[in-house]
Amino acid sequence: MILACVMVFTFVGLLPLGTLILRVLGWTRIHGINQILASVLGLVGAGLGIYIITAMLVQLVLGVLHHREYKQTQQTTKIAPIHVWLGRIVILCGVANGFL
C-alpha cells in the first residue's frame, strides 16, 4: 500500500507539479530538482515492488520444493527453515505495508 502511495504521489503529484513549475512560473532549476526527486521516488517505488514480488516468488518455489521432498521422505527438509523464515518476513512486510 505504501508503494502504491509513493507511486501515485509521484505520477499524480510531483511530475505534473514539475510541469506547472516550469510552464507557469518559469523556474527551470526548481523544475529540474522536482523532476529528479520524482524520478528517484518512482524508481524506489518500482524497485521495492519488484523486491517484494521476488521474495514472494522465492517463497512459493521454496514451498513447492519442500513439499515435494517432504511427501517422499516424510521428514523435514533443509529447505524448511528457509521457507519458514522467509515466509515470516514476507508476511511481516506485507502487514506493515498494509498499515502504512
Side-chain angles (χ1 to χ4, degrees):
M1 183 162 190
I2 190 130
L3 296 177
C5 291
V6 168
M7 298 300 275
V8 168
F9 176 68
T10 298
F11 287 100
V12 176
L14 284 178
L15 289 171
L17 177 64
T19 303
L20 290 174
I21 289 171
L22 180 64
R23 299 291 178 206
V24 175
L25 300 174
W27 296 345
T28 56
R29 181 172 294 224
I30 302 299
H31 164 75
I33 293 169
N34 180 77
Q35 298 305 80
I36 289 170
L37 176 64
S39 297
V40 168
L41 284 176
L43 290 172
V44 167
L48 288 173
I50 291 168
Y51 175 75
I52 289 172
I53 289 170
T54 302
M56 289 181 69
L57 290 174
V58 169
Q59 174 67 1
L60 174 66
V61 170
L62 289 175
V64 169
L65 293 174
H66 166 71
H67 182 69
R68 193 171 69 184
E69 188 175 332
Y70 180 81
K71 280 181 71 173
Q72 294 174 352
T73 64
Q74 295 295 311
Q75 294 179 348
T76 286
T77 66
K78 292 179 182 179
I79 299 172
I82 300 167
H83 174 69
V84 168
W85 280 100
L86 181 59
R88 290 173 180 165
I89 291 168
V90 167
I91 290 170
L92 182 63
C93 289
V95 168
N97 191 34
F99 284 105
L100 293 175

